[in-house]
Amino acid sequence: MSCCKEKAMRTRTKKRLYGLYTILGFLLGIAILSGLVFQSVYSAQSYGQLINYLGLVRGTTQRLVKLELSGTPNDELIEYLDSILSNLESGEGEFGLDLVEDEDYLECLYTLQEQWEDLKADIRAYRLDPSFEHALLASSETYFDASNETVFTAEAYMHGELHRLLVVTGVLIAGIVLVWLLLFMLNFKRVLHLEGLNRDLNDKAGRDSLTHAYTLDRFKDVAQKLLEQRRGRQYAVFYMDFADFNYINDVFGYSWGDKILAQYASVLSEDMAEDEAFGRVNADNFVALRSYHTKEELYERQADVDRKITEFMLSSRDKHALVVRCGICCAEDVTEPLTIDSLIDRANYARKSVKAGTREGYCFYDEGIRLQLRAEKAIEHDMEAALRKHEFIVYYQPKVSPESDRITCSEALVRWRKPDGQMIQPGQFIPVFEKNHSIPLLDRYVFESVCIWLRRMLDEGKPALPVSVNVSCLQFYSSDFVKTYREIRDRYRIPRGLLEIEFTETILFDDWHVMNRTVKQLKDAGFICSIDDFGKGYSSLSTVKNLDIDVLKLDAVFFQDTGTLEKDRQLVAGIIHMVRQLGITTVAEGIETWEQVEFLRGIRCDLIQGYVYYKPMPQEEYEALLINESGEYGRDAGVRQPEGNAKRYLETCPAG
Ligand code: C2E
Ligand code: MG
Ligand code: MG
């Protein structure tokens, strides 16, 4: 048994004993109190009886003397009085009178007894000689006084005793109440303390250890409650994300990245009012719930927070600024009653729309976004049926060698052709399928379509050039990814080297180990591996160094004229020069002008993919193009003789 368990058991046993002692103490207190009350009642009754009999002794003696003097003596009365006095003296007798052990009382009783003996002697003398009448009367007076004194003494004693009992009972009751009060206070304090501890513990569990912000789950709980008790207040949910935070981590180090996140949480926390909350979703994503009067005010508050984090960063050694993208969803802008989950989703959705050119990186969820969201839902909903009905079709975009201006290979690009003929571009549905994790289904579908086509081309003796397919990063983390792709490839008996897998660079930084292993498995299985969209987002040449890839595809951003063309050109020249030395084939994407082609040819870029040569085209069109080209150049057109790395790239390709 673990030490924690033992401790918990000991605490439980202690608690039980504590409860038992409390109950026993209570019962004992009640028993003592009942005993005292019983004794008080009994004593009151017996003292009453005693005083009654003392009064009787006094009255009966007077009656006895009266009877003697009137000539009707009564010896029975004498016997009666004898037995009462004897009972009073000994505490035993037929009258059940208790012996009261009070000195004053006992003294009075002895005196009374003596007086009684004297009185009896005087009665006897009077019976013999009536001249003793005066002596008898005097004796009777003395006796009366003595019995009076005895009654008063007994009364005083009884009062004293009852008073004592009353005081003891009072003290006891006060004691019990006091002890109970004490126990109650202690217990109450303990409960309060435990509650406090519990609260602290819960709070700790619901907070992110790095930033001390609420975890997403805790944030949802708190925010949902605030929304439910909103009492006329308006609320908005914020979803914040730092642009290119990976860059900060990679360039300035993770500890600096952590510091920024903690600082951001601290600035956010200062901004929060009592009826507001914020939390950390993951990495560099935060959510917040703010109440407001005007949307302008919401905007200002967020801007203030972001200004502070920028100031913090600019005051650092590296002076690197950071852009915060933020989506805001005001509960009032949503017609249907929404849970915090859906509000967060909508705020996140608005955040993703920031790039659409809203001011300073903030975007409010609105009707346009709602429609977009609805369209996405429809896409999500229709996907499976569309796969079954083969609504997804594959387009091919040739990659051309600038050396020979001839097609070397192609990229398979998916399109969604709706039954009404409407053609949907991948940019509209791929992100949706990536979000709902169904993209592997589509990727496999495209891959199999390419295999089927290549098989047919090979079977029909047509030129079959390598085709690259895109795969989502999600696949790389699935253990059977390579196995599945190899099985499909083998099913259609596609020779090694005819298929290429393109994956995007952004995913690489998640787990180098997984990436390396997958790339190795893919290459062992005969697939060509390429990194797509290099230069889009945060790029690092360490990717090329760390992964044993065959092809590097430079993104169109390098070739767009944004005023930095000359700089970009130098950069591209440098990259291509370096990458070629590593034996990696270079492909330039998005090339639209002959001037660009000229430049790329000059710096010995291996392949060009762009509208300048060909746009993505339907399979039939591409097939016809290949046949036409091979006819133009002869039967061996499929096996070109390109220069440099493109040559190496094609070495494994079979002739068409
Ligand atoms: P990508 O893999 O980088 O594909 C190249 C994209 O650039 C294609 O867009 C292509 O049509 C476009 N492009 C090529 N040359 C030019 C040019 O000269 N000018 C311009 N403006 N664009 C050019 P497309 O077909 O819309 O595909 C967009 C993205 O969708 C692809 O980018 C790829 O990331 C993704 N995608 C396409 N098919 C699939 C697929 O089957 N699976 C997955 N996971 N993603 C796919
Ligand atoms: Mg691609
Ligand atoms: Mg690309």
Side-chain angles (χ1 to χ4, degrees), residues 397 411 413-415 426 430 443 446 470 532-533 589-592 610-611 616:
Q397 185 177 29
E411 176 174 10
L413 295 159
V414 71
R415 304 284 181 267
I430 297 270
D443 283 350
V446 171
N470 292 282
D532 200 1
D533 301 340
E589 281 189 284
I591 305 305
E592 295 185 348
Y611 295 172

mmCIF file with all atom_site columns, all heavy atoms in Angstrom, residues 397 411 413-415 426 430 443 446 470 532-533 589-592 610-611 616, ligand 1:
data_model
loop_
_atom_site.group_PDB
_atom_site.id
_atom_site.type_symbol
_atom_site.label_atom_id
_atom_site.label_alt_id
_atom_site.label_comp_id
_atom_site.label_asym_id
_atom_site.label_entity_id
_atom_site.label_seq_id
_atom_site.pdbx_PDB_ins_code
_atom_site.Cartn_x
_atom_site.Cartn_y
_atom_site.Cartn_z
_atom_site.occupancy
_atom_site.B_iso_or_equiv
_atom_site.pdbx_formal_charge
_atom_site.auth_seq_id
_atom_site.auth_comp_id
_atom_site.auth_asym_id
_atom_site.auth_atom_id
_atom_site.pdbx_PDB_model_num
ATOM   1   N N   . GLN A 1 397 ? -0.897  18.649 -62.937 1.00 0.00 ? 397 GLN A N   1
ATOM   2   C CA  . GLN A 1 397 ? -0.151  19.816 -63.402 1.00 0.00 ? 397 GLN A CA  1
ATOM   3   C C   . GLN A 1 397 ? 1.284   19.373 -63.703 1.00 0.00 ? 397 GLN A C   1
ATOM   4   O O   . GLN A 1 397 ? 2.003   18.910 -62.801 1.00 0.00 ? 397 GLN A O   1
ATOM   5   C CB  . GLN A 1 397 ? -0.145  20.931 -62.354 1.00 0.00 ? 397 GLN A CB  1
ATOM   6   C CG  . GLN A 1 397 ? 0.536   22.175 -62.905 1.00 0.00 ? 397 GLN A CG  1
ATOM   7   C CD  . GLN A 1 397 ? 0.506   23.354 -61.933 1.00 0.00 ? 397 GLN A CD  1
ATOM   8   O OE1 . GLN A 1 397 ? 0.484   23.171 -60.716 1.00 0.00 ? 397 GLN A OE1 1
ATOM   9   N NE2 . GLN A 1 397 ? 0.512   24.565 -62.481 1.00 0.00 ? 397 GLN A NE2 1
ATOM   10  N N   . GLU A 1 411 ? 2.115   16.816 -60.830 1.00 0.00 ? 411 GLU A N   1
ATOM   11  C CA  . GLU A 1 411 ? 1.531   16.751 -59.486 1.00 0.00 ? 411 GLU A CA  1
ATOM   12  C C   . GLU A 1 411 ? 0.041   16.500 -59.625 1.00 0.00 ? 411 GLU A C   1
ATOM   13  O O   . GLU A 1 411 ? -0.625  17.124 -60.467 1.00 0.00 ? 411 GLU A O   1
ATOM   14  C CB  . GLU A 1 411 ? 1.767   18.065 -58.721 1.00 0.00 ? 411 GLU A CB  1
ATOM   15  C CG  . GLU A 1 411 ? 1.077   18.070 -57.359 1.00 0.00 ? 411 GLU A CG  1
ATOM   16  C CD  . GLU A 1 411 ? 1.391   19.287 -56.497 1.00 0.00 ? 411 GLU A CD  1
ATOM   17  O OE1 . GLU A 1 411 ? 2.000   20.245 -57.010 1.00 0.00 ? 411 GLU A OE1 1
ATOM   18  O OE2 . GLU A 1 411 ? 1.008   19.270 -55.307 1.00 0.00 ? 411 GLU A OE2 1
ATOM   19  N N   . LEU A 1 413 ? -3.579  16.994 -58.382 1.00 0.00 ? 413 LEU A N   1
ATOM   20  C CA  . LEU A 1 413 ? -4.285  17.981 -57.558 1.00 0.00 ? 413 LEU A CA  1
ATOM   21  C C   . LEU A 1 413 ? -5.775  17.680 -57.614 1.00 0.00 ? 413 LEU A C   1
ATOM   22  O O   . LEU A 1 413 ? -6.348  17.547 -58.688 1.00 0.00 ? 413 LEU A O   1
ATOM   23  C CB  . LEU A 1 413 ? -3.994  19.388 -58.078 1.00 0.00 ? 413 LEU A CB  1
ATOM   24  C CG  . LEU A 1 413 ? -2.522  19.828 -57.947 1.00 0.00 ? 413 LEU A CG  1
ATOM   25  C CD1 . LEU A 1 413 ? -2.208  20.965 -58.900 1.00 0.00 ? 413 LEU A CD1 1
ATOM   26  C CD2 . LEU A 1 413 ? -2.196  20.217 -56.518 1.00 0.00 ? 413 LEU A CD2 1
ATOM   27  N N   . VAL A 1 414 ? -6.361  17.575 -56.456 1.00 0.00 ? 414 VAL A N   1
ATOM   28  C CA  . VAL A 1 414 ? -7.760  17.143 -56.419 1.00 0.00 ? 414 VAL A CA  1
ATOM   29  C C   . VAL A 1 414 ? -8.722  18.295 -56.699 1.00 0.00 ? 414 VAL A C   1
ATOM   30  O O   . VAL A 1 414 ? -8.425  19.453 -56.395 1.00 0.00 ? 414 VAL A O   1
ATOM   31  C CB  . VAL A 1 414 ? -8.054  16.473 -55.044 1.00 0.00 ? 414 VAL A CB  1
ATOM   32  C CG1 . VAL A 1 414 ? -8.079  17.500 -53.928 1.00 0.00 ? 414 VAL A CG1 1
ATOM   33  C CG2 . VAL A 1 414 ? -9.348  15.684 -55.087 1.00 0.00 ? 414 VAL A CG2 1
ATOM   34  N N   . ARG A 1 415 ? -9.851  17.972 -57.278 1.00 0.00 ? 415 ARG A N   1
ATOM   35  C CA  . ARG A 1 415 ? -10.948 18.930 -57.491 1.00 0.00 ? 415 ARG A CA  1
ATOM   36  C C   . ARG A 1 415 ? -12.242 18.235 -57.093 1.00 0.00 ? 415 ARG A C   1
ATOM   37  O O   . ARG A 1 415 ? -12.342 17.010 -57.175 1.00 0.00 ? 415 ARG A O   1
ATOM   38  C CB  . ARG A 1 415 ? -11.061 19.326 -58.984 1.00 0.00 ? 415 ARG A CB  1
ATOM   39  C CG  . ARG A 1 415 ? -9.790  19.904 -59.590 1.00 0.00 ? 415 ARG A CG  1
ATOM   40  C CD  . ARG A 1 415 ? -9.610  21.346 -59.126 1.00 0.00 ? 415 ARG A CD  1
ATOM   41  N NE  . ARG A 1 415 ? -8.426  21.991 -59.674 1.00 0.00 ? 415 ARG A NE  1
ATOM   42  C CZ  . ARG A 1 415 ? -7.243  22.032 -59.071 1.00 0.00 ? 415 ARG A CZ  1
ATOM   43  N NH1 . ARG A 1 415 ? -7.042  21.393 -57.932 1.00 0.00 ? 415 ARG A NH1 1
ATOM   44  N NH2 . ARG A 1 415 ? -6.236  22.694 -59.619 1.00 0.00 ? 415 ARG A NH2 1
ATOM   45  N N   . PRO A 1 426 ? -9.484  22.905 -54.209 1.00 0.00 ? 426 PRO A N   1
ATOM   46  C CA  . PRO A 1 426 ? -9.073  22.282 -52.940 1.00 0.00 ? 426 PRO A CA  1
ATOM   47  C C   . PRO A 1 426 ? -8.940  23.265 -51.780 1.00 0.00 ? 426 PRO A C   1
ATOM   48  O O   . PRO A 1 426 ? -9.164  22.892 -50.630 1.00 0.00 ? 426 PRO A O   1
ATOM   49  C CB  . PRO A 1 426 ? -7.724  21.640 -53.261 1.00 0.00 ? 426 PRO A CB  1
ATOM   50  C CG  . PRO A 1 426 ? -7.311  22.168 -54.582 1.00 0.00 ? 426 PRO A CG  1
ATOM   51  C CD  . PRO A 1 426 ? -8.534  22.621 -55.292 1.00 0.00 ? 426 PRO A CD  1
ATOM   52  N N   . ILE A 1 430 ? -10.095 21.310 -48.612 1.00 0.00 ? 430 ILE A N   1
ATOM   53  C CA  . ILE A 1 430 ? -9.006  20.617 -47.898 1.00 0.00 ? 430 ILE A CA  1
ATOM   54  C C   . ILE A 1 430 ? -8.890  21.095 -46.431 1.00 0.00 ? 430 ILE A C   1
ATOM   55  O O   . ILE A 1 430 ? -8.843  20.261 -45.528 1.00 0.00 ? 430 ILE A O   1
ATOM   56  C CB  . ILE A 1 430 ? -7.650  20.805 -48.634 1.00 0.00 ? 430 ILE A CB  1
ATOM   57  C CG1 . ILE A 1 430 ? -7.721  20.180 -50.021 1.00 0.00 ? 430 ILE A CG1 1
ATOM   58  C CG2 . ILE A 1 430 ? -6.480  20.275 -47.807 1.00 0.00 ? 430 ILE A CG2 1
ATOM   59  C CD1 . ILE A 1 430 ? -7.321  18.760 -50.162 1.00 0.00 ? 430 ILE A CD1 1
ATOM   60  N N   . ASP A 1 443 ? -7.023  11.795 -49.332 1.00 0.00 ? 443 ASP A N   1
ATOM   61  C CA  . ASP A 1 443 ? -5.655  11.601 -49.840 1.00 0.00 ? 443 ASP A CA  1
ATOM   62  C C   . ASP A 1 443 ? -5.481  10.195 -50.422 1.00 0.00 ? 443 ASP A C   1
ATOM   63  O O   . ASP A 1 443 ? -4.874  10.012 -51.475 1.00 0.00 ? 443 ASP A O   1
ATOM   64  C CB  . ASP A 1 443 ? -4.633  11.819 -48.711 1.00 0.00 ? 443 ASP A CB  1
ATOM   65  C CG  . ASP A 1 443 ? -4.437  13.302 -48.427 1.00 0.00 ? 443 ASP A CG  1
ATOM   66  O OD1 . ASP A 1 443 ? -4.938  14.124 -49.214 1.00 0.00 ? 443 ASP A OD1 1
ATOM   67  O OD2 . ASP A 1 443 ? -3.791  13.636 -47.418 1.00 0.00 ? 443 ASP A OD2 1
ATOM   68  N N   . VAL A 1 446 ? -7.273  9.933  -53.761 1.00 0.00 ? 446 VAL A N   1
ATOM   69  C CA  . VAL A 1 446 ? -6.501  10.555 -54.852 1.00 0.00 ? 446 VAL A CA  1
ATOM   70  C C   . VAL A 1 446 ? -5.335  9.642  -55.232 1.00 0.00 ? 446 VAL A C   1
ATOM   71  O O   . VAL A 1 446 ? -5.072  9.388  -56.418 1.00 0.00 ? 446 VAL A O   1
ATOM   72  C CB  . VAL A 1 446 ? -5.988  11.952 -54.414 1.00 0.00 ? 446 VAL A CB  1
ATOM   73  C CG1 . VAL A 1 446 ? -5.002  12.517 -55.432 1.00 0.00 ? 446 VAL A CG1 1
ATOM   74  C CG2 . VAL A 1 446 ? -7.157  12.902 -54.221 1.00 0.00 ? 446 VAL A CG2 1
ATOM   75  N N   . ASN A 1 470 ? -0.237  14.827 -52.870 1.00 0.00 ? 470 ASN A N   1
ATOM   76  C CA  . ASN A 1 470 ? -0.105  15.564 -51.604 1.00 0.00 ? 470 ASN A CA  1
ATOM   77  C C   . ASN A 1 470 ? -0.648  14.704 -50.468 1.00 0.00 ? 470 ASN A C   1
ATOM   78  O O   . ASN A 1 470 ? -1.674  14.050 -50.626 1.00 0.00 ? 470 ASN A O   1
ATOM   79  C CB  . ASN A 1 470 ? -0.912  16.859 -51.663 1.00 0.00 ? 470 ASN A CB  1
ATOM   80  C CG  . ASN A 1 470 ? -0.321  17.837 -52.646 1.00 0.00 ? 470 ASN A CG  1
ATOM   81  O OD1 . ASN A 1 470 ? 0.670   18.502 -52.356 1.00 0.00 ? 470 ASN A OD1 1
ATOM   82  N ND2 . ASN A 1 470 ? -0.910  17.900 -53.840 1.00 0.00 ? 470 ASN A ND2 1
ATOM   83  N N   . ASP A 1 532 ? 6.918   20.174 -49.705 1.00 0.00 ? 532 ASP A N   1
ATOM   84  C CA  . ASP A 1 532 ? 6.095   21.094 -50.477 1.00 0.00 ? 532 ASP A CA  1
ATOM   85  C C   . ASP A 1 532 ? 6.111   22.476 -49.819 1.00 0.00 ? 532 ASP A C   1
ATOM   86  O O   . ASP A 1 532 ? 6.381   22.597 -48.619 1.00 0.00 ? 532 ASP A O   1
ATOM   87  C CB  . ASP A 1 532 ? 4.659   20.547 -50.474 1.00 0.00 ? 532 ASP A CB  1
ATOM   88  C CG  . ASP A 1 532 ? 3.827   21.109 -51.608 1.00 0.00 ? 532 ASP A CG  1
ATOM   89  O OD1 . ASP A 1 532 ? 4.363   21.908 -52.394 1.00 0.00 ? 532 ASP A OD1 1
ATOM   90  O OD2 . ASP A 1 532 ? 2.647   20.722 -51.708 1.00 0.00 ? 532 ASP A OD2 1
ATOM   91  N N   . ASP A 1 533 ? 5.807   23.485 -50.594 1.00 0.00 ? 533 ASP A N   1
ATOM   92  C CA  . ASP A 1 533 ? 5.581   24.842 -50.068 1.00 0.00 ? 533 ASP A CA  1
ATOM   93  C C   . ASP A 1 533 ? 6.722   25.386 -49.225 1.00 0.00 ? 533 ASP A C   1
ATOM   94  O O   . ASP A 1 533 ? 6.487   26.117 -48.260 1.00 0.00 ? 533 ASP A O   1
ATOM   95  C CB  . ASP A 1 533 ? 4.280   24.881 -49.226 1.00 0.00 ? 533 ASP A CB  1
ATOM   96  C CG  . ASP A 1 533 ? 3.082   24.479 -50.042 1.00 0.00 ? 533 ASP A CG  1
ATOM   97  O OD1 . ASP A 1 533 ? 3.158   24.540 -51.285 1.00 0.00 ? 533 ASP A OD1 1
ATOM   98  O OD2 . ASP A 1 533 ? 2.063   24.090 -49.439 1.00 0.00 ? 533 ASP A OD2 1
ATOM   99  N N   . GLU A 1 589 ? 7.638   26.442 -57.728 1.00 0.00 ? 589 GLU A N   1
ATOM   100 C CA  . GLU A 1 589 ? 6.179   26.397 -57.916 1.00 0.00 ? 589 GLU A CA  1
ATOM   101 C C   . GLU A 1 589 ? 5.636   27.774 -58.245 1.00 0.00 ? 589 GLU A C   1
ATOM   102 O O   . GLU A 1 589 ? 6.230   28.786 -57.861 1.00 0.00 ? 589 GLU A O   1
ATOM   103 C CB  . GLU A 1 589 ? 5.515   25.960 -56.607 1.00 0.00 ? 589 GLU A CB  1
ATOM   104 C CG  . GLU A 1 589 ? 5.544   24.489 -56.322 1.00 0.00 ? 589 GLU A CG  1
ATOM   105 C CD  . GLU A 1 589 ? 4.662   24.187 -55.111 1.00 0.00 ? 589 GLU A CD  1
ATOM   106 O OE1 . GLU A 1 589 ? 5.080   24.464 -53.982 1.00 0.00 ? 589 GLU A OE1 1
ATOM   107 O OE2 . GLU A 1 589 ? 3.559   23.664 -55.323 1.00 0.00 ? 589 GLU A OE2 1
ATOM   108 N N   . GLY A 1 590 ? 4.502   27.803 -58.907 1.00 0.00 ? 590 GLY A N   1
ATOM   109 C CA  . GLY A 1 590 ? 3.793   29.071 -59.148 1.00 0.00 ? 590 GLY A CA  1
ATOM   110 C C   . GLY A 1 590 ? 4.517   29.991 -60.114 1.00 0.00 ? 590 GLY A C   1
ATOM   111 O O   . GLY A 1 590 ? 4.452   31.218 -59.967 1.00 0.00 ? 590 GLY A O   1
ATOM   112 N N   . ILE A 1 591 ? 5.223   29.438 -61.065 1.00 0.00 ? 591 ILE A N   1
ATOM   113 C CA  . ILE A 1 591 ? 5.973   30.261 -62.023 1.00 0.00 ? 591 ILE A CA  1
ATOM   114 C C   . ILE A 1 591 ? 5.051   30.675 -63.169 1.00 0.00 ? 591 ILE A C   1
ATOM   115 O O   . ILE A 1 591 ? 4.455   29.829 -63.831 1.00 0.00 ? 591 ILE A O   1
ATOM   116 C CB  . ILE A 1 591 ? 7.211   29.481 -62.553 1.00 0.00 ? 591 ILE A CB  1
ATOM   117 C CG1 . ILE A 1 591 ? 8.065   29.022 -61.361 1.00 0.00 ? 591 ILE A CG1 1
ATOM   118 C CG2 . ILE A 1 591 ? 8.010   30.316 -63.542 1.00 0.00 ? 591 ILE A CG2 1
ATOM   119 C CD1 . ILE A 1 591 ? 8.492   30.136 -60.429 1.00 0.00 ? 591 ILE A CD1 1
ATOM   120 N N   . GLU A 1 592 ? 4.966   31.979 -63.366 1.00 0.00 ? 592 GLU A N   1
ATOM   121 C CA  . GLU A 1 592 ? 3.986   32.477 -64.326 1.00 0.00 ? 592 GLU A CA  1
ATOM   122 C C   . GLU A 1 592 ? 4.601   33.229 -65.501 1.00 0.00 ? 592 GLU A C   1
ATOM   123 O O   . GLU A 1 592 ? 3.902   33.507 -66.481 1.00 0.00 ? 592 GLU A O   1
ATOM   124 C CB  . GLU A 1 592 ? 2.967   33.369 -63.600 1.00 0.00 ? 592 GLU A CB  1
ATOM   125 C CG  . GLU A 1 592 ? 2.135   32.585 -62.578 1.00 0.00 ? 592 GLU A CG  1
ATOM   126 C CD  . GLU A 1 592 ? 1.039   33.410 -61.920 1.00 0.00 ? 592 GLU A CD  1
ATOM   127 O OE1 . GLU A 1 592 ? 1.053   34.637 -62.065 1.00 0.00 ? 592 GLU A OE1 1
ATOM   128 O OE2 . GLU A 1 592 ? 0.175   32.799 -61.268 1.00 0.00 ? 592 GLU A OE2 1
ATOM   129 N N   . GLY A 1 610 ? 4.222   25.605 -63.096 1.00 0.00 ? 610 GLY A N   1
ATOM   130 C CA  . GLY A 1 610 ? 3.537   26.894 -63.089 1.00 0.00 ? 610 GLY A CA  1
ATOM   131 C C   . GLY A 1 610 ? 2.732   27.127 -64.346 1.00 0.00 ? 610 GLY A C   1
ATOM   132 O O   . GLY A 1 610 ? 2.884   26.421 -65.349 1.00 0.00 ? 610 GLY A O   1
ATOM   133 N N   . TYR A 1 611 ? 1.874   28.146 -64.247 1.00 0.00 ? 611 TYR A N   1
ATOM   134 C CA  . TYR A 1 611 ? 0.994   28.447 -65.365 1.00 0.00 ? 611 TYR A CA  1
ATOM   135 C C   . TYR A 1 611 ? 1.775   28.806 -66.633 1.00 0.00 ? 611 TYR A C   1
ATOM   136 O O   . TYR A 1 611 ? 1.253   28.707 -67.733 1.00 0.00 ? 611 TYR A O   1
ATOM   137 C CB  . TYR A 1 611 ? 0.054   29.597 -65.008 1.00 0.00 ? 611 TYR A CB  1
ATOM   138 C CG  . TYR A 1 611 ? -0.935  29.290 -63.895 1.00 0.00 ? 611 TYR A CG  1
ATOM   139 C CD1 . TYR A 1 611 ? -1.739  30.297 -63.363 1.00 0.00 ? 611 TYR A CD1 1
ATOM   140 C CD2 . TYR A 1 611 ? -1.086  27.997 -63.397 1.00 0.00 ? 611 TYR A CD2 1
ATOM   141 C CE1 . TYR A 1 611 ? -2.647  30.031 -62.357 1.00 0.00 ? 611 TYR A CE1 1
ATOM   142 C CE2 . TYR A 1 611 ? -1.992  27.727 -62.382 1.00 0.00 ? 611 TYR A CE2 1
ATOM   143 C CZ  . TYR A 1 611 ? -2.768  28.735 -61.854 1.00 0.00 ? 611 TYR A CZ  1
ATOM   144 O OH  . TYR A 1 611 ? -3.665  28.479 -60.863 1.00 0.00 ? 611 TYR A OH  1
ATOM   145 N N   . PRO A 1 616 ? -3.068  23.220 -63.985 1.00 0.00 ? 616 PRO A N   1
ATOM   146 C CA  . PRO A 1 616 ? -3.554  21.868 -63.691 1.00 0.00 ? 616 PRO A CA  1
ATOM   147 C C   . PRO A 1 616 ? -4.655  21.520 -64.701 1.00 0.00 ? 616 PRO A C   1
ATOM   148 O O   . PRO A 1 616 ? -5.472  22.381 -65.039 1.00 0.00 ? 616 PRO A O   1
ATOM   149 C CB  . PRO A 1 616 ? -4.128  21.972 -62.278 1.00 0.00 ? 616 PRO A CB  1
ATOM   150 C CG  . PRO A 1 616 ? -3.470  23.170 -61.688 1.00 0.00 ? 616 PRO A CG  1
ATOM   151 C CD  . PRO A 1 616 ? -3.223  24.118 -62.816 1.00 0.00 ? 616 PRO A CD  1
HETATM 152 P P1  . C2E B 2 .   ? 0.220   22.640 -53.644 1.00 0.00 ? 1   C2E B P1  1
HETATM 153 O O1  . C2E B 2 .   ? 0.457   21.208 -53.351 1.00 0.00 ? 1   C2E B O1  1
HETATM 154 O O2  . C2E B 2 .   ? 1.288   23.583 -53.326 1.00 0.00 ? 1   C2E B O2  1
HETATM 155 O O3  . C2E B 2 .   ? -0.181  22.731 -55.153 1.00 0.00 ? 1   C2E B O3  1
HETATM 156 C C1  . C2E B 2 .   ? 0.174   23.755 -55.974 1.00 0.00 ? 1   C2E B C1  1
HETATM 157 C C2  . C2E B 2 .   ? -0.913  24.716 -56.089 1.00 0.00 ? 1   C2E B C2  1
HETATM 158 O O4  . C2E B 2 .   ? -0.428  25.841 -56.811 1.00 0.00 ? 1   C2E B O4  1
HETATM 159 C C3  . C2E B 2 .   ? -2.088  24.186 -56.890 1.00 0.00 ? 1   C2E B C3  1
HETATM 160 O O5  . C2E B 2 .   ? -3.262  24.770 -56.418 1.00 0.00 ? 1   C2E B O5  1
HETATM 161 C C4  . C2E B 2 .   ? -1.817  24.739 -58.276 1.00 0.00 ? 1   C2E B C4  1
HETATM 162 O O6  . C2E B 2 .   ? -2.949  24.851 -59.065 1.00 0.00 ? 1   C2E B O6  1
HETATM 163 C C5  . C2E B 2 .   ? -1.259  26.092 -57.938 1.00 0.00 ? 1   C2E B C5  1
HETATM 164 N N1  . C2E B 2 .   ? -0.416  26.617 -58.991 1.00 0.00 ? 1   C2E B N1  1
HETATM 165 C C6  . C2E B 2 .   ? 0.460   25.957 -59.748 1.00 0.00 ? 1   C2E B C6  1
HETATM 166 N N2  . C2E B 2 .   ? 1.065   26.812 -60.584 1.00 0.00 ? 1   C2E B N2  1
HETATM 167 C C7  . C2E B 2 .   ? 0.568   28.032 -60.384 1.00 0.00 ? 1   C2E B C7  1
HETATM 168 C C8  . C2E B 2 .   ? 0.809   29.335 -60.935 1.00 0.00 ? 1   C2E B C8  1
HETATM 169 O O7  . C2E B 2 .   ? 1.596   29.527 -61.795 1.00 0.00 ? 1   C2E B O7  1
HETATM 170 N N3  . C2E B 2 .   ? 0.102   30.374 -60.408 1.00 0.00 ? 1   C2E B N3  1
HETATM 171 C C9  . C2E B 2 .   ? -0.796  30.189 -59.428 1.00 0.00 ? 1   C2E B C9  1
HETATM 172 N N4  . C2E B 2 .   ? -1.466  31.256 -58.966 1.00 0.00 ? 1   C2E B N4  1
HETATM 173 N N5  . C2E B 2 .   ? -1.050  28.984 -58.871 1.00 0.00 ? 1   C2E B N5  1
HETATM 174 C C10 . C2E B 2 .   ? -0.362  27.910 -59.353 1.00 0.00 ? 1   C2E B C10 1
HETATM 175 P P2  . C2E B 2 .   ? -4.546  23.938 -56.134 1.00 0.00 ? 1   C2E B P2  1
HETATM 176 O O8  . C2E B 2 .   ? -4.722  22.858 -57.104 1.00 0.00 ? 1   C2E B O8  1
HETATM 177 O O9  . C2E B 2 .   ? -5.647  24.885 -55.891 1.00 0.00 ? 1   C2E B O9  1
HETATM 178 O O10 . C2E B 2 .   ? -4.164  23.242 -54.779 1.00 0.00 ? 1   C2E B O10 1
HETATM 179 C C11 . C2E B 2 .   ? -3.985  23.989 -53.631 1.00 0.00 ? 1   C2E B C11 1
HETATM 180 C C12 . C2E B 2 .   ? -3.451  23.164 -52.521 1.00 0.00 ? 1   C2E B C12 1
HETATM 181 O O11 . C2E B 2 .   ? -4.389  22.197 -52.130 1.00 0.00 ? 1   C2E B O11 1
HETATM 182 C C13 . C2E B 2 .   ? -2.220  22.347 -52.918 1.00 0.00 ? 1   C2E B C13 1
HETATM 183 O O12 . C2E B 2 .   ? -1.089  23.148 -52.868 1.00 0.00 ? 1   C2E B O12 1
HETATM 184 C C14 . C2E B 2 .   ? -2.217  21.293 -51.862 1.00 0.00 ? 1   C2E B C14 1
HETATM 185 O O13 . C2E B 2 .   ? -1.614  21.764 -50.689 1.00 0.00 ? 1   C2E B O13 1
HETATM 186 C C15 . C2E B 2 .   ? -3.675  21.094 -51.641 1.00 0.00 ? 1   C2E B C15 1
HETATM 187 N N6  . C2E B 2 .   ? -4.109  19.869 -52.326 1.00 0.00 ? 1   C2E B N6  1
HETATM 188 C C16 . C2E B 2 .   ? -4.457  19.669 -53.618 1.00 0.00 ? 1   C2E B C16 1
HETATM 189 N N7  . C2E B 2 .   ? -4.783  18.381 -53.817 1.00 0.00 ? 1   C2E B N7  1
HETATM 190 C C17 . C2E B 2 .   ? -4.628  17.733 -52.642 1.00 0.00 ? 1   C2E B C17 1
HETATM 191 C C18 . C2E B 2 .   ? -4.790  16.365 -52.191 1.00 0.00 ? 1   C2E B C18 1
HETATM 192 O O14 . C2E B 2 .   ? -5.147  15.428 -52.947 1.00 0.00 ? 1   C2E B O14 1
HETATM 193 N N8  . C2E B 2 .   ? -4.520  16.114 -50.884 1.00 0.00 ? 1   C2E B N8  1
HETATM 194 C C19 . C2E B 2 .   ? -4.094  17.113 -50.027 1.00 0.00 ? 1   C2E B C19 1
HETATM 195 N N9  . C2E B 2 .   ? -3.859  16.788 -48.744 1.00 0.00 ? 1   C2E B N9  1
HETATM 196 N N10 . C2E B 2 .   ? -3.927  18.372 -50.416 1.00 0.00 ? 1   C2E B N10 1
HETATM 197 C C20 . C2E B 2 .   ? -4.179  18.681 -51.702 1.00 0.00 ? 1   C2E B C20 1
#
